[in-house]
Amino acid sequence: MSKKPAPAAESASRTLGLPKETLLAWYDDMLLVRRFEEKAAQLYGMGRIGGFCHLYNGQEAISTGACAVLTPDDYIITAYRDHGLAISRGVDPKACMAELLGKYTGTTKGKGGSMHFFDREKNFLGGHAIVGSHVPIGAGVGFAIKYKGQQNVILVFMGDGATNIGAFFEALGLAQLWKLPVVFIIENNRYSMGTSVTRSSPVEDLYKKALAFDMRWDVVDGMNVLEVYQKVKQAADIAKKDYLPSLLEIRTYRYRGHSMSDPIHGHYRTKEEVEEQKRSDPITLFASILQEEGLADESYFESVEKRVKKVVEDCVTFADQSPEPPLEELWKDVYLP
Ligand SMILES: Cc1ncc(C[n+]2csc(CCOP(=O)(O)OP(=O)(O)O)c2C)c(N)n1
Ligand SMILES: [Mg+2]
């Protein structure tokens, strides 16, 4: 009969044996993403952010848990809901805020806006507005990694809606055929704009789309940062060691409307559904784990709150004080037909 582990061992396995500093840094990161997005919502409401703006509230455990797996030489690519992933990847939040406000110090010199964050130094390859368009680009980066014989991985993030796009299937097929070091990550927040998964995909369990390609897959609780980390790490390790792709369906929920231009509930979901989902909030859940494990207490959480508030305020000050792109930049860095 197996012996029950000692409480200390139970605690260590619950938090994956990770050091306290690492876990607390994750909490900081999740809170920063949340507060950054709340500020973005406020600035958008004041008319200070132009164009589209898709917020990440509710999905923070994914950006924090997945980015924690990566080394600086690994890569990330995503769609337009990119603020959280950029911040968790270590892109300067000041540059992110400046980009939102259209300033020259922004991640794409104030010319890309919310949907087009990019940071070459951090191997953060965007920010792509056309649904599904970046999925084959991600597979191509996987090809390059393998071609050069590097032991790296690219995480290719996409929404549930993107898994209905032809390019998604082509990318998965080639990645499996050529055994590329790619982790395809579906952030299944249950809706593409106002269309639920049940209305857009004949297969509700989106991980099943890997089966057609005989690809490794997994399902992940996107509200639990520890599970996200663990399962993305397994997939990334396999990608790096064996040059094999995986498809992860991470189940999550978005609290805000699809973008800032549509309402939180709309006609496609009820207020009650949103409130119900908020009861499994990823930040609250992680805080309670930290507390139960004796790693943090109320005063710690209050101090993080203050620190993060200051970081976000500093981002806005930086963006406010930054210049707009000069006129001669208008035609630079853009593809002209
Ligand atoms: C090819 C293409 N078709 C339609 C659109 C309009 N559009 C923008 S976002 C979106 C929904 C995508 O939903 P999902 O992939 O689930 O991502 P989420 O917004 O939930 O993060 C659509 C249809 C687009 N940008 N590109
Ligand atoms: Mg979606």
Side-chain angles (χ1 to χ4, degrees):
M1 214 170 85
S2 65
K3 242 173 96 184
K4 200 168 176 264
E10 271 177 18
S11 284
S13 72
R14 189 179 187 202
T15 49
L16 311 175
L18 291 163
K20 178 177 169 179
E21 310 79 66
T22 303
L23 298 165
L24 295 186
W26 289 3
Y27 182 82
D28 272 42
D29 187 62
M30 288 168 77
L31 198 71
L32 175 59
V33 171
R34 175 74 55 91
R35 299 292 177 251
F36 183 96
E37 294 296 62
E38 284 166 355
K39 181 55 79 177
Q42 193 188 8
L43 294 171
Y44 195 95
M46 292 160 72
R48 299 205 48 209
I49 295 175
F52 286 106
C53 185
H54 308 81
L55 303 180
Y56 204 66
N57 307 49
Q59 302 184 205
E60 299 89 349
I62 303 181
S63 65
T64 300
C67 290
V69 169
L70 303 180
T71 67
D73 292 335
D74 294 327
Y75 295 86
I76 280 197
I77 193 165
T78 187
Y80 44 82
R81 198 178 298 285
D82 58 357
H83 309 174
L85 283 162
I87 290 171
S88 295
R89 179 55 177 164
V91 178
D92 185 352
K94 288 192 173 108
C96 295
M97 191 59 85
E99 190 59 44
L100 292 183
L101 296 189
K103 297 300 183 81
Y104 198 38
T105 51
T107 64
T108 31
K109 299 183 187 168
K111 296 188 284 182
S114 163
M115 301 198 286
H116 300 110
F117 287 4
F118 197 96
D119 190 329
R120 207 170 160 174
E121 272 178 31
K122 301 283 177 191
N123 285 348
F124 182 86
L125 307 181
H128 295 260
I130 304 302
V131 173
S133 64
H134 64 290
V135 184
I137 298 174
V141 174
F143 183 91
I145 292 170
K146 185 174 177 181
Y147 187 75
K148 292 179 184 168
Q150 296 168 344
Q151 301 299 302
N152 292 115
V153 65
I154 176 155
L155 305 184
V156 181
F157 292 88
M158 73 204 81
D160 41 279
T163 70
N164 300 308
I165 298 281
F168 164 81
F169 294 97
E170 294 176 35
L172 257 69
L174 288 178
Q176 182 69 11
L177 180 69
W178 291 336
K179 308 214 176 320
L180 304 179
V182 182
V183 183
F184 297 99
I185 297 180
I186 306 167
E187 297 191 70
N188 183 359
N189 60 14
R190 298 176 34 185
Y191 298 97
S192 40
M193 300 185 85
T195 308
S196 72
V197 170
T198 46
R199 291 178 60 223
S200 64
S201 174
V203 177
E204 248 182 85
D205 292 323
L206 300 179
Y207 69 85
K208 288 184 181 164
K209 297 189 181 186
L211 302 179
F213 303 100
D214 212 8
M215 185 181 285
R216 183 184 174 276
W217 58 267
D218 211 337
V219 182
V220 186
D221 175 3
M223 294 301 177
N224 184 342
V225 67
L226 290 154
E227 184 172 325
V228 172
Y229 171 78
Q230 192 176 30
K231 294 201 167 177
V232 173
K233 182 155 178 18
Q234 274 169 3
D237 286 349
I238 289 168
K240 289 182 184 189
K241 197 167 128 299
D242 304 326
Y243 284 142
L244 274 181
S246 299
L247 177 71
L248 304 183
E249 179 191 347
I250 306 190
R251 294 184 175 161
T252 182
Y253 197 76
R254 81 168 144 71
Y255 293 169
R256 309 280 316 191
H258 164 70
S259 77
M260 281 304 295
S261 53
D262 60 86
I264 292 177
H265 313 121
H267 296 299
Y268 61 92
R269 63 179 184 178
T270 61
K271 193 171 173 215
E272 291 70 34
E273 179 186 301
V274 179
E275 292 314 313
E276 171 62 28
Q277 290 296 323
K278 283 187 177 174
R279 281 200 267 279
S280 348
D281 182 71
I283 299 178
T284 313
L285 174 73
F286 191 44
S288 61
I289 293 174
L290 292 174
Q291 216 160 4
E292 283 159 27
E293 298 303 323
L295 300 170
D297 57 14
E298 276 309 322
S299 72
Y300 177 77
F301 297 130
E302 277 167 29
S303 72
V304 183
E305 194 67 66
K306 268 195 203 142
R307 195 162 64 241
V308 163
K309 189 169 182 234
K310 172 88 173 59
V311 171
V312 174
E313 276 167 7
D314 289 349
C315 288
V316 179
T317 308
F318 172 80
D320 276 341
Q321 291 172 351
S322 295
E324 293 194 338
L327 200 56
E328 56 272 22
E329 276 281 334
L330 191 61
W331 299 111
K332 281 193 199 154
D333 310 319
V334 288
Y335 288 107
L336 298 173

